[in-house]
Amino acid sequence: MRVWSGADGASRGGTPRRQRLSPELADLARLIHWDGFSVTEAAQVLDLDTFIARTRYARARLDVRTALMVPVD
């Protein structure tokens, strides 16, 4: 299986890649992954309950993992 994660937003066959993360998921993932905040700290920054932040972060990770594993023929 080949995977492709080109930056132009489309696969080599011209089929659009999956949508990007929603702004809510992207903000949370950015705070945690790139800025080094804990989930609890990111939840406080975004004024979210910690449980909601953990659920959204799990969803964001799943969405990214799924998007990167799309096979291209």
Side-chain angles (χ1 to χ4, degrees), residues 2-71:
R2 294 182 330 193
V3 295
W4 185 73
S5 58
D8 66 355
S11 68
R12 292 181 191 190
T15 306
R17 284 185 21 191
R18 291 183 169 267
Q19 291 285 354
R20 293 177 183 231
L21 290 177
S22 69
E24 296 84 15
L25 295 181
D27 288 344
L28 183 63
R30 193 174 301 111
L31 285 170
I32 295 168
H33 186 71
W34 285 283
D35 295 335
F37 286 89
S38 69
V39 175
T40 302
E41 292 167 335
Q44 291 172 349
V45 169
L46 297 173
D47 196 29
L48 296 172
D49 181 81
T50 302
F51 177 78
I52 292 170
R54 288 185 193 285
T55 302
R56 287 184 184 176
Y57 185 55
R59 177 60 188 200
R61 290 178 54 190
L62 179 63
D63 287 354
V64 168
R65 183 179 301 125
T66 301
L68 292 175
M69 295 305 296
V70 175

